Amino acid sequence: MRLADYYFHDERLLLVPIEELTPGGMRPEFAGALRARCAWGDDRVALFNAAFALYWTRTAALAARARDWAPPRLRHVGLAREPLAVRPYVQLLNTSAWMLYESDFDPAVSHPEFAAFLFVHGDRMAQSGEIAGAALHTAAYWLELSDEECAAFAAAAARTQRPDAGGFQALAAALPWLRQLYHEALRPPPATSIARPIPGSSLFVPRHLEQHPPALVQAWSAVARQTITAFHAAWRKPAITAVTGFCDWLAADAPPLLVTGRGGRILWDPDTPTRLGAIRSDLRDASGAAVEDIHADLAVIARHTRAFLATLVDPEVLPAPAPNTEQTGYSYLHRERRLIAYNLHEANMERLQSPALPYARAMLGARTVHEWTHLAVDAGWVPQALQAAELVAALADELDAVVAAAPLAIRARTQPDLQTLATAGTPGTALTRILLTRMPDYQANLLACRFLDLAERETYIRHNIRTLHGLYAPAQLWRMLIRYLSEYQYLTFSAVAAPVEFFLRSTWFDADFIASGILDAERFASLTRAVARICATYRVDETRFRAVGN
């Protein structure tokens, strides 16, 4: 597979990837691929580009004036090809993708004003984790638009073929009163007015409009429920033949894995492969399409497990999993059995109700391999082959220089945490120690890439290169920096041609560290090189392996 094929990896979805996006829309070369492979016309490409440019310029302008409005960032754009092909409202690739629909960019039914707001709305859902409140909390977007721009949005909302069309139609109907709301920066309420704040925003609602915001949220809640119900109904049909074929495979192949259920209970065990009663019971009401995907998932786990273990000189000397090994995720290493486990009831995955999400199986394969390679790291099979003390000291010195040169406002904001970091020496020394605690992830990546195909590798990287903006308090900016520098190293395993641009523009790193004056391009490059030199001191111990994986 080539990287260009990765974007079309799933027939249900087109992926417009971060590396093919600019603030003005998609790059011409990628537009050419859409024309050739998906029959996109020039008018559809033009609509996408116009919408994305509107999203970028308007979001940037709002962020410059309103403290509660995040600046734009590049994310993947996943375009479902059919309305009920993909579970609605999902956050693909670990919140690093918008999930929209191909019809959103059909000039016959859509409009740049409508599609531009879809990017805004998707951003807010990703930031808040909420569906129903996003239409209200983005009200500031409408305050300075013209009547004509709002009318164009409303007309397209009336035509849209999205499965959640009713939500956007309710929003269009609400525009007259939404545009009367106040905002602390964009339209402050008059001193004489009686306006109540809308929780979680910088918006204020005049007393005579107080009944409208709850009604809009309720309308969106109802539409979201209906949309998800319609999706589940479309995939509800059980398939006895799928369950029979799956169970026959388990009994005959005895794949080296565990199938678990609620509470981590083992439903199927390769030591007793013909005992199928527990798993049949859990699959009794499952969607036929879901069972087929579960079967395909387990085949991936089995293939990777067998491939990894076959390369080991002595698999029996792998250590037992650590007692604190996570027992959740796409797949996980079972603490007691030292086998990869797959939970049919894994939270937020709906494995029994509907097909797997686009790119989920690639992530499952990557996760499975990483569980095994982390165990190899624990065994000492990816050791530090070169001394790194001088490299670590050099990185600490450079980090101390960055902290010392930071703008005064940044220093003041982070001073409490700087004092905590300095209890173990200098802040730079403490930050490099944090980096070293994350090295096992790099060591596992170094070995895992021998076993992953391009789709699995790229999916794993795109899950792990994401914004950390909301995970750290403002005072912990330096801890966020060192984690970013650690996670940037994932891109050294990627086929992305311009990793620096990919990283800076997709994570808000540019806003948090470049635009703020903490770093410039040269200093960022210097820091990433310093971390890369430390990473380069690790090597796979080839005496532990019979052959290179696939």
Side-chain angles (χ1 to χ4, degrees):
M1 177 186 286
R2 301 170 303 152
L3 188 57
D5 297 320
Y6 175 72
Y7 312 139
F8 306 94
H9 179 64
D10 191 302
E11 64 182 11
R12 298 168 295 168
L13 187 90
L14 308 179
L15 188 74
V16 185
I18 287 168
E19 62 268 30
E20 296 293 348
L21 278 174
T22 73
M26 66 181 73
R27 297 185 189 278
E29 297 80 8
F30 187 79
L34 285 178
R35 292 185 186 96
R37 301 178 69 150
C38 305
W40 274 42
D42 291 346
D43 54 350
R44 193 181 286 256
V45 172
L47 196 160
F48 182 100
N49 290 345
F52 200 80
L54 283 175
Y55 153 77
W56 195 274
T57 56
R58 287 175 180 168
T59 300
L62 284 166
R65 299 171 58 196
R67 63 177 177 83
D68 62 329
W69 203 277
R73 67 183 175 110
L74 297 180
R75 294 199 289 153
H76 309 287
V77 185
L79 300 175
R81 305 210 69 178
E82 299 294 338
L84 297 177
V86 180
R87 178 152 46 103
Y89 307 118
V90 297
Q91 295 291 329
L92 295 174
L93 298 172
N94 200 11
T95 75
S96 291
W98 286 281
M99 220 295 284
L100 306 179
Y101 295 87
E102 193 173 12
S103 65
D104 293 332
F105 302 96
D106 180 355
V109 296
S110 192
H111 187 278
E113 288 293 347
F114 181 74
F117 180 74
L118 295 179
F119 291 117
V120 173
H121 189 259
D123 271 359
R124 187 53 59 110
M125 286 196 297
Q127 292 160 33
S128 67
E130 297 179 358
I131 299 171
L136 175 62
H137 289 166
T138 51
Y141 179 82
W142 306 104
L143 296 183
E144 296 174 342
L145 266 60
S146 68
D147 292 343
E148 292 75 17
E149 290 163 340
C150 292
F153 167 85
R159 298 189 300 264
T160 184
Q161 299 172 355
R162 294 173 59 93
D164 58 351
F168 292 96
Q169 289 157 6
L171 173 60
L175 286 181
W177 66 260
L178 280 170
R179 300 181 72 200
Q180 296 179 53
L181 298 182
Y182 297 116
H183 185 278
E184 68 172 16
L186 306 177
R187 184 188 292 166
T192 57
S193 73
I194 300 176
R196 297 184 185 276
I198 295 177
S201 75
S202 296
L203 296 162
F204 297 83
V205 57
R207 173 174 286 182
H208 71 283
L209 297 176
E210 284 181 356
Q211 75 277 17
H212 291 301
L216 178 61
V217 173
Q218 289 167 12
W220 257 97
S221 294
V223 168
R225 286 194 300 270
Q226 293 162 6
T227 303
I228 293 170
T229 298
F231 172 74
H232 287 153
W235 295 101
R236 183 175 297 137
K237 185 177 179 181
I240 296 173
T241 56
V243 174
T244 300
F246 173 51
C247 288
D248 287 349
W249 173 74
L250 287 175
D253 189 77
L257 53 87
L258 299 170
V259 181
T260 56
R262 291 186 177 91
R265 172 181 170 235
I266 295 175
L267 302 176
W268 182 86
D269 188 325
D271 288 351
T272 54
T274 59
R275 290 185 183 175
L276 299 162
I279 195 167
R280 280 188 183 276
S281 177
D282 269 40
L283 295 175
R284 184 178 55 244
D285 299 320
S287 153
V291 174
E292 292 172 355
D293 272 10
I294 291 166
H295 188 163
D297 283 353
L298 297 190
V300 167
I301 294 174
R303 174 172 58 83
H304 275 307
T305 293
R306 286 169 172 151
F308 177 78
L309 295 178
T311 66
L312 301 185
V313 171
D314 188 358
E316 295 305 315
V317 300
L318 273 175
N324 63 347
T325 300
E326 250 188 5
Q327 301 294 280
T328 187
Y330 280 86
S331 62
Y332 60 91
L333 196 61
H334 197 274
R335 278 193 289 253
E336 285 78 37
R337 296 293 303 279
R338 206 185 70 180
L339 282 172
I340 298 296
Y342 176 98
N343 195 320
L344 295 182
H345 298 274
E346 186 64 40
N348 302 317
M349 289 195 181
E350 297 191 351
R351 281 175 165 162
L352 297 174
Q353 292 179 272
S354 56
L357 294 175
Y359 297 99
R361 189 161 300 119
M363 185 61 191
L364 173 73
R367 172 66 183 254
T368 296
V369 170
H370 274 265
E371 291 294 279
W372 285 119
T373 56
H374 268 289
L375 207 58
V377 170
D378 292 345
W381 297 353
V382 190
Q384 196 164 34
L386 302 172
Q387 291 296 316
E390 290 186 7
L391 299 176
V392 171
L395 175 61
D397 288 345
E398 185 158 11
L399 288 166
D400 281 328
V402 169
V403 171
L408 290 177
I410 300 293
R411 288 288 303 251
R413 187 202 312 165
T414 59
Q415 191 59 37
D417 197 46
L418 284 173
Q419 290 176 345
T420 301
L421 291 169
T423 58
T426 69
T429 300
L431 292 171
T432 55
R433 287 175 181 163
I434 293 172
L435 175 77
L436 294 178
T437 67
R438 302 188 66 83
M439 278 296 115
D441 286 331
Y442 177 81
Q443 293 166 272
N445 287 339
L446 193 62
L447 180 56
C449 282
R450 299 182 173 199
F451 300 91
L452 301 179
D453 63 26
L454 184 143
E456 292 166 334
R457 188 169 65 249
E458 289 295 332
T459 300
Y460 192 79
I461 290 163
R462 290 158 201 266
H463 265 252
N464 283 281
I465 298 294
R466 81 279 195 214
T467 183
L468 304 175
H469 186 83
L471 301 181
Y472 289 83
Q476 296 179 308
L477 188 74
W478 305 112
R479 296 176 193 263
M480 184 165 72
L481 172 62
I482 202 66
R483 182 167 170 184
Y484 269 134
L485 292 174
S486 170
E487 294 185 352
Y488 178 81
Q489 299 305 313
Y490 282 97
L491 283 167
T492 64
F493 302 102
S494 173
V496 170
V500 173
E501 182 179 358
F502 182 105
F503 178 81
L504 294 181
R505 301 197 103 165
S506 68
T507 60
W508 283 318
F509 190 98
D510 50 358
D512 286 334
F513 292 98
I514 307 296
S516 64
I518 297 172
L519 302 175
D520 56 20
E522 183 178 348
R523 178 67 86 175
F524 173 71
S526 179
L527 287 170
T528 56
R529 284 195 300 268
V531 174
R533 284 192 287 268
I534 295 171
C535 291
T537 63
Y538 292 91
R539 300 281 193 277
V540 174
D541 180 355
E542 301 296 348
T543 67
R544 298 290 183 173
F545 297 88
R546 297 183 188 278
V548 174
N550 64 352

